[in-house]
Amino acid sequence: MVGTLEVFRFADKKDKFLMAVGSIFACGNGASLPILIIVFGSMIDFMVDIGILQNFLTTIPEYLQSKGFDEDEFLADTTKMDTKLCAEVAAFYNGTKNCTVILTDKVMDKMTEFAVYYCIIGCSVLICAYAQVALWMMAAERQGNRIRRACLFNILRQDIGWFDTHEAAELNTKLSDDVLKIQDGIGDKVGALFQWTSGFITGFAIGFFYGWEMTLVILAVSPALVISAMLMAKLASAMTTKELEAYGKAGGVAEEVFGAIRTVVAFGGQEKEAVRYYNNLDDARAFGVKKGFTNGAAMGLIWLVIFCCYALGFWYGGKLHREDPEDFDVADLIIVFFSVLIGAFSLGNASPSVQSLSTARGAAFGIFQLIDLVTFEDIDR
């Protein structure tokens, strides 16, 4: 396995520029979802306040009557308000009995403002996500092209004796499959790694800013989220690999039979070869069934952990709000809970990208050895 930076050894200045800009857009894409939660939490808090205020406004006539005030007299002179009536109520009432219309107008103005924020974040995500994938894929394609050229050029200039110890099919596989693995590992997967890392950092930063106590509580169980997500990805990848290997063996049997079909027919081996092919297909089917059970169990485990985190987070958040409603309101509860949850999931989602990069580093080892291979002519020089 080559070093993490060594796998990018064929990147020129333009590729480095594309990767740098793509990383910036990837970080913006990853941070967008936690930032969206801030707007969402503020909107929920506003709706809660409006509901409380609207309920209070509907009870004002009864409240005034219980205190001995006349409603018309109250509307004419709001200075006669009882001290328990806040100034915001008088402002919403605004000297008219039609407080519902005024309240609705204010709600629509505020919701329009939230809608604008959502549109801005959505457009930003569209630009960042497109630039992230496009720039990283362009850089990977350019590097993959150079790797193929360098590898083929160095293979063709080797001494004839070198080909006696190396299979031609093996070399072709390295040029096609191994370079594709490198290209896949240094392409959009690296951009996704920056994206999820940014989401993880931003989510936890927002959580600690809006409520460090609740963040620490959720952080205590967040490893379960990360482990469950990583476990699901690993099991699915392992089952898929075994399934593809089984299908590959079946395909190898079919290719072998079709390549020598005259010999097979001449010796009447059709039934025997069909049985070989069926046996490999049975193995592939068995791995496919196991993959289905594995994916189902892993998905069930993930949702179990998610709902348990929901229960713990909302219970502790409600406890903090009850004990100190001034410093920890509904908006803080929503923002902290979902930001930390998104941060934990982002860390788990970064695992497949790290695995792809590791695969690319492993594939690059053999390819770079071929590129750096010297000939007897080079030694003589």
Side-chain angles (χ1 to χ4, degrees):
M1 185 178 293
V2 301
T4 303
L5 296 180
E6 188 181 356
V7 76
F8 298 99
R9 60 180 280 190
F10 284 91
D12 58 10
K13 292 182 178 180
K14 184 176 180 180
D15 295 330
K16 294 177 181 178
F17 174 76
L18 292 175
M19 291 187 292
V21 177
S23 301
I24 295 174
F25 280 109
C27 292
N29 186 22
S32 60
L33 189 54
I35 293 176
L36 179 67
I37 297 300
I38 298 178
V39 181
F40 178 73
S42 302
M43 184 186 70
I44 294 298
D45 189 52
F46 173 73
M47 297 301 295
V48 170
D49 291 341
I50 287 298
I52 295 174
L53 183 58
Q54 190 171 18
N55 182 64
F56 184 64
L57 287 173
T58 57
T59 61
I60 282 182
E62 298 178 1
Y63 180 81
L64 293 175
Q65 186 176 4
S66 65
K67 293 295 182 179
F69 287 108
D70 180 76
E71 186 178 0
D72 295 332
E73 182 182 359
F74 169 78
L75 294 176
D77 186 6
T78 55
T79 59
K80 293 184 178 181
M81 283 194 313
D82 189 272
T83 54
K84 293 183 179 180
L85 293 177
C86 58
E88 285 80 2
V89 174
F92 272 99
Y93 221 95
N94 201 21
T96 176
K97 292 182 180 181
N98 196 10
C99 59
T100 304
V101 176
I102 299 173
L103 191 62
T104 303
D105 291 340
K106 289 184 177 294
V107 170
M108 291 307 300
D109 292 340
K110 194 67 176 178
M111 295 307 293
T112 301
E113 180 182 345
F114 285 128
V116 172
Y117 290 148
Y118 284 130
C119 292
I120 292 174
I121 295 176
C123 293
S124 300
V125 170
L126 175 64
I127 296 173
C128 290
Y130 172 78
Q132 166 195 336
V133 177
L135 295 178
W136 273 101
M137 290 297 290
M138 288 171 59
E141 189 67 36
R142 289 165 54 87
Q143 294 174 70
N145 187 30
R146 293 193 197 94
I147 293 173
R148 287 187 181 91
R149 290 186 178 185
C151 187
L152 179 62
F153 174 77
N154 205 42
I155 288 175
L156 293 178
R157 62 191 292 268
Q158 294 301 312
D159 303 303
I160 296 299
W162 183 82
F163 291 94
D164 295 335
T165 57
H166 294 80
E167 295 290 337
E170 178 186 351
L171 300 176
N172 183 49
T173 301
K174 287 184 176 296
L175 277 175
S176 57
D177 295 345
D178 288 1
V179 176
L180 280 177
K181 290 178 182 178
I182 299 174
Q183 193 171 318
D184 180 66
I186 65 175
D188 60 321
K189 296 295 191 300
V190 182
L193 179 60
F194 279 101
Q195 173 190 344
W196 296 122
T197 304
S198 174
F200 163 72
I201 296 174
T202 306
F204 277 94
I206 292 175
F208 278 108
F209 180 79
Y210 281 91
W212 62 271
E213 293 177 319
M214 184 176 173
T215 301
L216 289 178
V217 171
I218 302 177
L219 188 62
V221 297
S222 60
L225 289 173
V226 178
I227 292 173
S228 59
M230 292 175 62
L231 181 63
M232 177 183 177
K234 186 175 182 61
L235 291 177
S237 176
M239 289 295 106
T240 302
T241 301
K242 292 181 179 180
E243 183 184 14
L244 292 177
E245 287 178 357
Y247 277 118
K249 291 179 180 179
V253 171
E255 183 178 358
E256 178 185 351
V257 171
F258 291 151
I261 188 64
R262 289 183 175 85
T263 305
V264 173
V265 174
F267 288 93
Q270 297 94 320
E271 292 294 333
K272 179 180 177 182
E273 299 301 332
V275 170
R276 286 178 60 201
Y277 184 71
Y278 293 158
N279 290 336
N280 285 288
L281 286 183
D282 288 339
D283 293 338
R285 181 185 61 185
F287 284 122
V289 172
K290 289 181 180 179
K291 183 177 74 171
F293 280 110
T294 302
N295 290 342
M299 185 62 67
L301 176 62
I302 286 178
W303 282 108
L304 173 64
V305 174
I306 290 174
F307 286 126
C308 289
C309 289
Y310 279 6
L312 177 62
F314 282 118
W315 172 81
Y316 191 74
K319 181 176 178 293
L320 291 177
H321 178 65
R322 183 188 62 184
E323 294 176 351
D324 193 1
E326 296 295 331
D327 292 336
F328 195 81
D329 55 13
V330 177
D332 295 332
L333 190 154
I334 296 295
I335 292 172
V336 171
F337 178 77
F338 284 105
S339 296
V340 175
L341 204 64
I342 290 171
F345 265 112
S346 297
L347 186 61
N349 289 331
S351 176
S353 299
V354 175
Q355 185 177 358
S356 297
L357 181 59
S358 299
T359 302
R361 292 169 58 193
F365 182 79
I367 293 294
F368 290 172
Q369 274 191 331
L370 285 176
I371 294 175
D372 298 334
L373 191 65
V374 297
T375 63
F376 287 115
E377 183 179 351
D378 297 329
I379 297 175
D380 293 337
R381 291 178 182 175

